[in-house]
Amino acid sequence: MDAEFNGTYITLGGYVDVDKYGYVYFAILLTIYILILCTNCTIMCLICIHRNLHEPMYIFIAALSLNSVLFSTVLYPKLFIDVLSQKQIIPYSTCMFQFLVFYVFGSSDILLLSAMSYDRYVSICKPLHYPTIMGTRKVIVLLTVAWLLPFCQFSVSIVIMANHKLCHLTLEGFFCNNSVYKLHCMTSPILNVWGLVSLVNLCLIPFLFIIFTYVKIFIITYHSCLDVRKKAAETCIPHLMVLFSSYCLGFFDIIMARKESDFPKIVRLVMTLQIVVYNPLFNPIVYGVKMKEIKNYIKRLFSCPENKII
């Protein structure tokens, strides 16, 4: 199977009129990629430079931005090549790498958002114990789990898929997500069970944990003064917005893979594009606009020299 794994090419059939609009696609994707790099790198640099942002909440935000940069840097160069090529193909081994990157960073985002909800819970519900509970060691552990657990889980999926024979060589998409399961000659009970385990570990349990923390936060803030409510809203609303978008896009991904034949090709293209564009671009904008400390530093960064002197 190794020879087949390394030598098989998959046709990416999700593009629409790429022969006519290839340069338009390229210009749009390049603009989006540059915006993703600029916005996320700005957030990361501000958090690294300013010592008062060296807090768990901001560290998790920087980790989300790092995920977006790495994810986009792996995915977008291949998209650039595809929209300028006559044939949109990808080696099966590279396809598996795309699959791994897509779900590792996507799941890592969910776990980081869970860590952020825990951080907000401790900050609001146990403020006196916050420095002790959310120490440096705890943050390092949470970051490690957020990156290592998805990598381990989806690496097992890659190993399982590498031992399955392919009967279909056309993927109805423009990158490799869970639609690759449809390339196999037969469904794998082991792969289905392992996929369900991964879904529970990386999506359902974090989701239930986030609900638990926010119920606790809501109860505490409801019985607190107005200042506490405002402070909680400043940090929790951006987190909830990013969380909502992440789960919605994950739901889109599942629906598109399961029901892709029910959608016109152009609809599949637009919806799939949102998956690879929306979160990497949306997250830093939300945190840059809604997080007061980050917003202030961004204003200073882009303010005119005359205004700084005054």
Side-chain angles (χ1 to χ4, degrees):
M1 183 64 194
D2 288 340
E4 182 178 347
F5 181 85
N6 292 324
T8 302
Y9 281 82
I10 307 299
T11 299
L12 301 171
Y15 289 94
V16 178
D17 293 331
V18 70
D19 53 332
K20 294 181 180 178
Y21 305 112
Y23 289 104
V24 176
Y25 288 148
F26 178 81
I28 293 173
L29 290 172
L30 180 61
T31 302
I32 292 171
Y33 179 59
I34 292 173
L35 287 174
I36 289 172
L37 291 184
C38 291
T39 53
N40 284 285
C41 288
T42 299
I43 296 294
M44 287 190 292
C45 289
L46 289 175
I47 292 173
C48 289
I49 292 171
H50 299 286
R51 293 183 62 85
N52 64 323
L53 297 182
H54 293 179
E55 298 178 5
M57 177 178 62
Y58 297 109
I59 292 172
F60 293 135
I61 291 174
L64 283 173
S65 290
L66 179 61
N67 278 3
S68 296
V69 170
L70 295 176
F71 167 78
S72 301
T73 301
V74 169
L75 185 65
Y76 274 77
K78 182 63 172 72
L79 299 181
F80 298 154
I81 295 171
D82 287 337
V83 297
L84 297 178
S85 302
Q86 292 183 346
K87 292 183 178 180
Q88 291 74 45
I89 59 175
I90 183 172
Y92 187 56
S93 55
T94 305
C95 184
M96 291 295 94
F97 178 69
Q98 273 194 352
F99 175 93
L100 181 66
V101 168
F102 180 75
Y103 287 108
V104 165
F105 286 120
S107 301
S108 176
D109 282 355
I110 297 297
L111 294 178
L112 287 171
L113 290 169
S114 301
M116 291 174 68
S117 69
Y118 176 68
D119 174 76
R120 292 300 84 207
Y121 162 74
V122 176
S123 175
I124 295 171
C125 301
K126 301 180 179 181
L128 298 179
H129 301 285
Y130 180 80
T132 304
I133 296 175
M134 293 302 296
T136 303
R137 183 176 297 180
K138 176 68 70 65
V139 173
I140 292 174
V141 169
L142 292 173
L143 289 173
T144 302
V145 170
W147 281 316
L148 191 58
L149 180 60
F151 178 79
C152 292
Q153 295 232 217
F154 287 104
S155 293
V156 173
S157 299
I158 295 296
V159 172
I160 297 173
M161 284 192 286
N163 293 311
H164 280 73
K165 187 177 181 181
L166 301 179
C167 285
H168 309 282
L169 298 178
T170 299
L171 187 72
E172 294 301 328
F174 54 88
F175 69 95
C176 297
N177 57 359
N178 59 18
S179 295
V180 298
Y181 297 147
K182 295 187 177 182
L183 302 178
H184 300 154
C185 296
M186 55 187 300
T187 58
S188 168
I190 297 176
L191 193 58
N192 288 338
V193 171
W194 186 250
L196 183 61
V197 170
S198 300
L199 185 66
V200 170
N201 288 342
L202 302 175
C203 290
L204 181 59
I205 292 177
F207 179 71
L208 295 176
F209 176 76
I210 291 169
I211 290 178
F212 168 78
T213 57
Y214 270 94
V215 168
K216 290 285 188 179
I217 289 172
F218 177 79
I219 293 173
I220 292 295
T221 54
Y222 181 77
H223 296 287
S224 301
C225 62
L226 183 61
D227 289 340
V228 173
R229 294 180 190 176
K230 286 183 178 180
K231 185 178 179 181
E234 285 178 2
T235 57
C236 291
I237 289 177
H239 177 255
L240 289 173
M241 292 173 66
V242 172
L243 180 70
F244 179 76
S245 69
S246 297
Y247 271 96
C248 284
L249 293 175
F251 180 72
F252 278 172
D253 178 61
I254 295 172
I255 292 297
M256 292 304 298
R258 298 293 184 270
K259 301 291 184 180
E260 62 184 16
S261 59
D262 297 340
F263 295 94
K265 196 171 184 178
I266 185 64
V267 174
R268 294 202 306 269
L269 176 65
V270 172
M271 291 183 69
T272 310
L273 268 175
Q274 291 187 54
I275 296 173
V276 299
V277 170
Y278 195 73
N279 262 15
L281 197 56
F282 177 72
N283 293 359
I285 292 175
V286 168
Y287 288 121
V289 172
K290 293 294 184 179
M291 298 294 289
K292 184 178 179 180
E293 291 294 330
I294 296 178
K295 182 179 179 180
N296 289 338
Y297 281 120
I298 291 175
K299 284 182 177 180
R300 293 182 193 177
L301 182 64
F302 292 102
S303 61
C304 298
E306 292 80 2
N307 292 337
K308 291 182 180 178
I309 294 174
I310 295 173

PDB file of all heavy atoms in Angstrom, residues 74-98:
ATOM      1  N   VAL A  74       0.256  26.636   5.447  1.00  0.00           N
ATOM      2  CA  VAL A  74       0.279  25.288   4.876  1.00  0.00           C
ATOM      3  C   VAL A  74      -0.718  25.170   3.725  1.00  0.00           C
ATOM      4  O   VAL A  74      -0.414  24.569   2.687  1.00  0.00           O
ATOM      5  CB  VAL A  74      -0.033  24.240   5.964  1.00  0.00           C
ATOM      6  CG1 VAL A  74      -0.281  22.870   5.331  1.00  0.00           C
ATOM      7  CG2 VAL A  74       1.108  24.149   6.960  1.00  0.00           C
ATOM      8  N   LEU A  75      -1.895  25.758   3.878  1.00  0.00           N
ATOM      9  CA  LEU A  75      -2.979  25.541   2.915  1.00  0.00           C
ATOM     10  C   LEU A  75      -2.935  26.468   1.703  1.00  0.00           C
ATOM     11  O   LEU A  75      -3.102  26.028   0.558  1.00  0.00           O
ATOM     12  CB  LEU A  75      -4.326  25.694   3.630  1.00  0.00           C
ATOM     13  CG  LEU A  75      -5.569  25.378   2.806  1.00  0.00           C
ATOM     14  CD1 LEU A  75      -5.586  23.900   2.426  1.00  0.00           C
ATOM     15  CD2 LEU A  75      -6.827  25.731   3.573  1.00  0.00           C
ATOM     16  N   TYR A  76      -2.696  27.742   1.911  1.00  0.00           N
ATOM     17  CA  TYR A  76      -2.870  28.728   0.845  1.00  0.00           C
ATOM     18  C   TYR A  76      -1.886  28.583  -0.322  1.00  0.00           C
ATOM     19  O   TYR A  76      -2.289  28.766  -1.475  1.00  0.00           O
ATOM     20  CB  TYR A  76      -2.840  30.146   1.413  1.00  0.00           C
ATOM     21  CG  TYR A  76      -4.189  30.606   1.912  1.00  0.00           C
ATOM     22  CD1 TYR A  76      -4.686  30.146   3.139  1.00  0.00           C
ATOM     23  CD2 TYR A  76      -4.994  31.449   1.168  1.00  0.00           C
ATOM     24  CE1 TYR A  76      -5.926  30.535   3.601  1.00  0.00           C
ATOM     25  CE2 TYR A  76      -6.235  31.854   1.620  1.00  0.00           C
ATOM     26  CZ  TYR A  76      -6.695  31.388   2.842  1.00  0.00           C
ATOM     27  OH  TYR A  76      -7.940  31.768   3.293  1.00  0.00           O
ATOM     28  N   PRO A  77      -0.595  28.295  -0.097  1.00  0.00           N
ATOM     29  CA  PRO A  77       0.305  28.132  -1.253  1.00  0.00           C
ATOM     30  C   PRO A  77      -0.183  27.085  -2.252  1.00  0.00           C
ATOM     31  O   PRO A  77      -0.043  27.273  -3.460  1.00  0.00           O
ATOM     32  CB  PRO A  77       1.631  27.722  -0.603  1.00  0.00           C
ATOM     33  CG  PRO A  77       1.593  28.375   0.731  1.00  0.00           C
ATOM     34  CD  PRO A  77       0.163  28.273   1.176  1.00  0.00           C
ATOM     35  N   LYS A  78      -0.759  25.996  -1.749  1.00  0.00           N
ATOM     36  CA  LYS A  78      -1.317  24.976  -2.664  1.00  0.00           C
ATOM     37  C   LYS A  78      -2.517  25.523  -3.409  1.00  0.00           C
ATOM     38  O   LYS A  78      -2.710  25.237  -4.607  1.00  0.00           O
ATOM     39  CB  LYS A  78      -1.719  23.733  -1.868  1.00  0.00           C
ATOM     40  CG  LYS A  78      -2.264  22.583  -2.740  1.00  0.00           C
ATOM     41  CD  LYS A  78      -1.208  22.070  -3.689  1.00  0.00           C
ATOM     42  CE  LYS A  78      -1.665  20.822  -4.423  1.00  0.00           C
ATOM     43  NZ  LYS A  78      -2.691  21.068  -5.442  1.00  0.00           N
ATOM     44  N   LEU A  79      -3.330  26.347  -2.764  1.00  0.00           N
ATOM     45  CA  LEU A  79      -4.465  26.966  -3.453  1.00  0.00           C
ATOM     46  C   LEU A  79      -3.978  27.898  -4.554  1.00  0.00           C
ATOM     47  O   LEU A  79      -4.564  27.937  -5.644  1.00  0.00           O
ATOM     48  CB  LEU A  79      -5.330  27.747  -2.455  1.00  0.00           C
ATOM     49  CG  LEU A  79      -5.981  26.958  -1.319  1.00  0.00           C
ATOM     50  CD1 LEU A  79      -6.813  27.878  -0.441  1.00  0.00           C
ATOM     51  CD2 LEU A  79      -6.852  25.835  -1.861  1.00  0.00           C
ATOM     52  N   PHE A  80      -2.906  28.657  -4.289  1.00  0.00           N
ATOM     53  CA  PHE A  80      -2.343  29.540  -5.320  1.00  0.00           C
ATOM     54  C   PHE A  80      -1.928  28.740  -6.555  1.00  0.00           C
ATOM     55  O   PHE A  80      -2.197  29.139  -7.693  1.00  0.00           O
ATOM     56  CB  PHE A  80      -1.121  30.291  -4.777  1.00  0.00           C
ATOM     57  CG  PHE A  80      -1.413  31.197  -3.615  1.00  0.00           C
ATOM     58  CD1 PHE A  80      -0.414  31.500  -2.696  1.00  0.00           C
ATOM     59  CD2 PHE A  80      -2.666  31.744  -3.422  1.00  0.00           C
ATOM     60  CE1 PHE A  80      -0.659  32.337  -1.625  1.00  0.00           C
ATOM     61  CE2 PHE A  80      -2.931  32.574  -2.351  1.00  0.00           C
ATOM     62  CZ  PHE A  80      -1.921  32.878  -1.452  1.00  0.00           C
ATOM     63  N   ILE A  81      -1.262  27.627  -6.310  1.00  0.00           N
ATOM     64  CA  ILE A  81      -0.805  26.785  -7.427  1.00  0.00           C
ATOM     65  C   ILE A  81      -1.992  26.220  -8.197  1.00  0.00           C
ATOM     66  O   ILE A  81      -2.001  26.217  -9.442  1.00  0.00           O
ATOM     67  CB  ILE A  81       0.090  25.642  -6.900  1.00  0.00           C
ATOM     68  CG1 ILE A  81       1.377  26.213  -6.306  1.00  0.00           C
ATOM     69  CG2 ILE A  81       0.414  24.642  -8.017  1.00  0.00           C
ATOM     70  CD1 ILE A  81       2.215  25.192  -5.581  1.00  0.00           C
ATOM     71  N   ASP A  82      -3.004  25.771  -7.479  1.00  0.00           N
ATOM     72  CA  ASP A  82      -4.152  25.129  -8.130  1.00  0.00           C
ATOM     73  C   ASP A  82      -4.918  26.086  -9.033  1.00  0.00           C
ATOM     74  O   ASP A  82      -5.306  25.725 -10.152  1.00  0.00           O
ATOM     75  CB  ASP A  82      -5.098  24.549  -7.076  1.00  0.00           C
ATOM     76  CG  ASP A  82      -4.527  23.292  -6.428  1.00  0.00           C
ATOM     77  OD1 ASP A  82      -3.665  22.647  -7.047  1.00  0.00           O
ATOM     78  OD2 ASP A  82      -4.946  22.966  -5.306  1.00  0.00           O
ATOM     79  N   VAL A  83      -5.155  27.324  -8.568  1.00  0.00           N
ATOM     80  CA  VAL A  83      -5.970  28.247  -9.364  1.00  0.00           C
ATOM     81  C   VAL A  83      -5.223  28.730 -10.608  1.00  0.00           C
ATOM     82  O   VAL A  83      -5.856  29.240 -11.546  1.00  0.00           O
ATOM     83  CB  VAL A  83      -6.434  29.457  -8.526  1.00  0.00           C
ATOM     84  CG1 VAL A  83      -7.341  28.998  -7.394  1.00  0.00           C
ATOM     85  CG2 VAL A  83      -5.259  30.255  -7.985  1.00  0.00           C
ATOM     86  N   LEU A  84      -3.899  28.564 -10.640  1.00  0.00           N
ATOM     87  CA  LEU A  84      -3.128  28.966 -11.812  1.00  0.00           C
ATOM     88  C   LEU A  84      -2.719  27.777 -12.674  1.00  0.00           C
ATOM     89  O   LEU A  84      -2.008  27.943 -13.673  1.00  0.00           O
ATOM     90  CB  LEU A  84      -1.861  29.728 -11.376  1.00  0.00           C
ATOM     91  CG  LEU A  84      -2.094  31.054 -10.640  1.00  0.00           C
ATOM     92  CD1 LEU A  84      -0.765  31.672 -10.239  1.00  0.00           C
ATOM     93  CD2 LEU A  84      -2.899  32.033 -11.497  1.00  0.00           C
ATOM     94  N   SER A  85      -3.174  26.591 -12.321  1.00  0.00           N
ATOM     95  CA  SER A  85      -2.821  25.376 -13.057  1.00  0.00           C
ATOM     96  C   SER A  85      -3.978  24.912 -13.925  1.00  0.00           C
ATOM     97  O   SER A  85      -5.149  25.200 -13.632  1.00  0.00           O
ATOM     98  CB  SER A  85      -2.434  24.250 -12.091  1.00  0.00           C
ATOM     99  OG  SER A  85      -1.348  24.641 -11.272  1.00  0.00           O
ATOM    100  N   GLN A  86      -3.642  24.187 -14.984  1.00  0.00           N
ATOM    101  CA  GLN A  86      -4.679  23.629 -15.849  1.00  0.00           C
ATOM    102  C   GLN A  86      -5.367  22.441 -15.193  1.00  0.00           C
ATOM    103  O   GLN A  86      -6.556  22.208 -15.403  1.00  0.00           O
ATOM    104  CB  GLN A  86      -4.071  23.204 -17.192  1.00  0.00           C
ATOM    105  CG  GLN A  86      -3.584  24.372 -18.038  1.00  0.00           C
ATOM    106  CD  GLN A  86      -3.044  23.918 -19.387  1.00  0.00           C
ATOM    107  OE1 GLN A  86      -2.798  22.744 -19.599  1.00  0.00           O
ATOM    108  NE2 GLN A  86      -2.874  24.873 -20.294  1.00  0.00           N
ATOM    109  N   LYS A  87      -4.611  21.693 -14.387  1.00  0.00           N
ATOM    110  CA  LYS A  87      -5.173  20.551 -13.681  1.00  0.00           C
ATOM    111  C   LYS A  87      -4.976  20.745 -12.181  1.00  0.00           C
ATOM    112  O   LYS A  87      -3.878  21.085 -11.739  1.00  0.00           O
ATOM    113  CB  LYS A  87      -4.493  19.248 -14.119  1.00  0.00           C
ATOM    114  CG  LYS A  87      -4.793  18.855 -15.557  1.00  0.00           C
ATOM    115  CD  LYS A  87      -4.152  17.511 -15.883  1.00  0.00           C
ATOM    116  CE  LYS A  87      -4.481  17.089 -17.312  1.00  0.00           C
ATOM    117  NZ  LYS A  87      -3.860  15.770 -17.645  1.00  0.00           N
ATOM    118  N   GLN A  88      -6.046  20.537 -11.444  1.00  0.00           N
ATOM    119  CA  GLN A  88      -5.979  20.681 -10.001  1.00  0.00           C
ATOM    120  C   GLN A  88      -5.852  19.278  -9.388  1.00  0.00           C
ATOM    121  O   GLN A  88      -6.854  18.564  -9.211  1.00  0.00           O
ATOM    122  CB  GLN A  88      -7.223  21.386  -9.454  1.00  0.00           C
ATOM    123  CG  GLN A  88      -7.323  22.850  -9.824  1.00  0.00           C
ATOM    124  CD  GLN A  88      -7.705  23.076 -11.289  1.00  0.00           C
ATOM    125  OE1 GLN A  88      -8.623  22.418 -11.792  1.00  0.00           O
ATOM    126  NE2 GLN A  88      -7.019  23.982 -11.959  1.00  0.00           N
ATOM    127  N   ILE A  89      -4.619  18.888  -9.111  1.00  0.00           N
ATOM    128  CA  ILE A  89      -4.357  17.568  -8.559  1.00  0.00           C
ATOM    129  C   ILE A  89      -3.463  17.696  -7.334  1.00  0.00           C
ATOM    130  O   ILE A  89      -2.800  18.714  -7.139  1.00  0.00           O
ATOM    131  CB  ILE A  89      -3.689  16.632  -9.592  1.00  0.00           C
ATOM    132  CG1 ILE A  89      -2.359  17.226 -10.074  1.00  0.00           C
ATOM    133  CG2 ILE A  89      -4.632  16.365 -10.766  1.00  0.00           C
ATOM    134  CD1 ILE A  89      -1.576  16.305 -10.996  1.00  0.00           C
ATOM    135  N   ILE A  90      -3.468  16.622  -6.526  1.00  0.00           N
ATOM    136  CA  ILE A  90      -2.654  16.618  -5.318  1.00  0.00           C
ATOM    137  C   ILE A  90      -2.246  15.173  -5.021  1.00  0.00           C
ATOM    138  O   ILE A  90      -3.077  14.257  -5.155  1.00  0.00           O
ATOM    139  CB  ILE A  90      -3.442  17.223  -4.126  1.00  0.00           C
ATOM    140  CG1 ILE A  90      -2.570  17.289  -2.869  1.00  0.00           C
ATOM    141  CG2 ILE A  90      -4.711  16.440  -3.839  1.00  0.00           C
ATOM    142  CD1 ILE A  90      -3.220  18.052  -1.726  1.00  0.00           C
ATOM    143  N   PRO A  91      -0.983  14.925  -4.678  1.00  0.00           N
ATOM    144  CA  PRO A  91      -0.590  13.570  -4.267  1.00  0.00           C
ATOM    145  C   PRO A  91      -1.374  13.138  -3.030  1.00  0.00           C
ATOM    146  O   PRO A  91      -1.665  13.954  -2.154  1.00  0.00           O
ATOM    147  CB  PRO A  91       0.908  13.700  -3.960  1.00  0.00           C
ATOM    148  CG  PRO A  91       1.343  14.941  -4.671  1.00  0.00           C
ATOM    149  CD  PRO A  91       0.158  15.861  -4.683  1.00  0.00           C
ATOM    150  N   TYR A  92      -1.704  11.863  -2.968  1.00  0.00           N
ATOM    151  CA  TYR A  92      -2.499  11.378  -1.849  1.00  0.00           C
ATOM    152  C   TYR A  92      -1.777  11.588  -0.520  1.00  0.00           C
ATOM    153  O   TYR A  92      -2.409  11.898   0.501  1.00  0.00           O
ATOM    154  CB  TYR A  92      -2.833   9.897  -2.038  1.00  0.00           C
ATOM    155  CG  TYR A  92      -3.791   9.364  -1.006  1.00  0.00           C
ATOM    156  CD1 TYR A  92      -5.035   9.956  -0.810  1.00  0.00           C
ATOM    157  CD2 TYR A  92      -3.456   8.262  -0.227  1.00  0.00           C
ATOM    158  CE1 TYR A  92      -5.920   9.473   0.140  1.00  0.00           C
ATOM    159  CE2 TYR A  92      -4.336   7.760   0.721  1.00  0.00           C
ATOM    160  CZ  TYR A  92      -5.558   8.377   0.898  1.00  0.00           C
ATOM    161  OH  TYR A  92      -6.433   7.898   1.845  1.00  0.00           O
ATOM    162  N   SER A  93      -0.452  11.453  -0.522  1.00  0.00           N
ATOM    163  CA  SER A  93       0.317  11.686   0.706  1.00  0.00           C
ATOM    164  C   SER A  93       0.198  13.140   1.160  1.00  0.00           C
ATOM    165  O   SER A  93       0.043  13.432   2.355  1.00  0.00           O
ATOM    166  CB  SER A  93       1.788  11.314   0.496  1.00  0.00           C
ATOM    167  OG  SER A  93       2.324  12.018  -0.604  1.00  0.00           O
ATOM    168  N   THR A  94       0.266  14.074   0.205  1.00  0.00           N
ATOM    169  CA  THR A  94       0.087  15.494   0.532  1.00  0.00           C
ATOM    170  C   THR A  94      -1.336  15.769   0.986  1.00  0.00           C
ATOM    171  O   THR A  94      -1.570  16.603   1.875  1.00  0.00           O
ATOM    172  CB  THR A  94       0.430  16.373  -0.685  1.00  0.00           C
ATOM    173  OG1 THR A  94       1.742  16.058  -1.139  1.00  0.00           O
ATOM    174  CG2 THR A  94       0.359  17.845  -0.341  1.00  0.00           C
ATOM    175  N   CYS A  95      -2.281  15.075   0.374  1.00  0.00           N
ATOM    176  CA  CYS A  95      -3.684  15.212   0.772  1.00  0.00           C
ATOM    177  C   CYS A  95      -3.866  14.809   2.233  1.00  0.00           C
ATOM    178  O   CYS A  95      -4.567  15.487   2.995  1.00  0.00           O
ATOM    179  CB  CYS A  95      -4.551  14.346  -0.140  1.00  0.00           C
ATOM    180  SG  CYS A  95      -6.321  14.485   0.157  1.00  0.00           S
ATOM    181  N   MET A  96      -3.206  13.730   2.630  1.00  0.00           N
ATOM    182  CA  MET A  96      -3.294  13.296   4.025  1.00  0.00           C
ATOM    183  C   MET A  96      -2.656  14.317   4.966  1.00  0.00           C
ATOM    184  O   MET A  96      -3.132  14.538   6.080  1.00  0.00           O
ATOM    185  CB  MET A  96      -2.614  11.941   4.198  1.00  0.00           C
ATOM    186  CG  MET A  96      -3.339  10.777   3.539  1.00  0.00           C
ATOM    187  SD  MET A  96      -4.970  10.450   4.265  1.00  0.00           S
ATOM    188  CE  MET A  96      -6.040  11.399   3.175  1.00  0.00           C
ATOM    189  N   PHE A  97      -1.588  14.956   4.513  1.00  0.00           N
ATOM    190  CA  PHE A  97      -0.954  16.002   5.325  1.00  0.00           C
ATOM    191  C   PHE A  97      -1.895  17.190   5.479  1.00  0.00           C
ATOM    192  O   PHE A  97      -2.021  17.755   6.574  1.00  0.00           O
ATOM    193  CB  PHE A  97       0.360  16.434   4.676  1.00  0.00           C
ATOM    194  CG  PHE A  97       1.060  17.546   5.412  1.00  0.00           C
ATOM    195  CD1 PHE A  97       1.617  17.325   6.660  1.00  0.00           C
ATOM    196  CD2 PHE A  97       1.150  18.812   4.861  1.00  0.00           C
ATOM    197  CE1 PHE A  97       2.256  18.343   7.355  1.00  0.00           C
ATOM    198  CE2 PHE A  97       1.787  19.840   5.539  1.00  0.00           C
ATOM    199  CZ  PHE A  97       2.335  19.607   6.788  1.00  0.00           C
ATOM    200  N   GLN A  98      -2.576  17.583   4.386  1.00  0.00           N
ATOM    201  CA  GLN A  98      -3.570  18.660   4.476  1.00  0.00           C
ATOM    202  C   GLN A  98      -4.670  18.299   5.461  1.00  0.00           C
ATOM    203  O   GLN A  98      -5.097  19.122   6.272  1.00  0.00           O
ATOM    204  CB  GLN A  98      -4.180  18.931   3.099  1.00  0.00           C
ATOM    205  CG  GLN A  98      -3.428  19.907   2.244  1.00  0.00           C
ATOM    206  CD  GLN A  98      -4.266  20.372   1.062  1.00  0.00           C
ATOM    207  OE1 GLN A  98      -5.362  19.865   0.798  1.00  0.00           O
ATOM    208  NE2 GLN A  98      -3.748  21.331   0.327  1.00  0.00           N
TER     209      GLN A  98
END
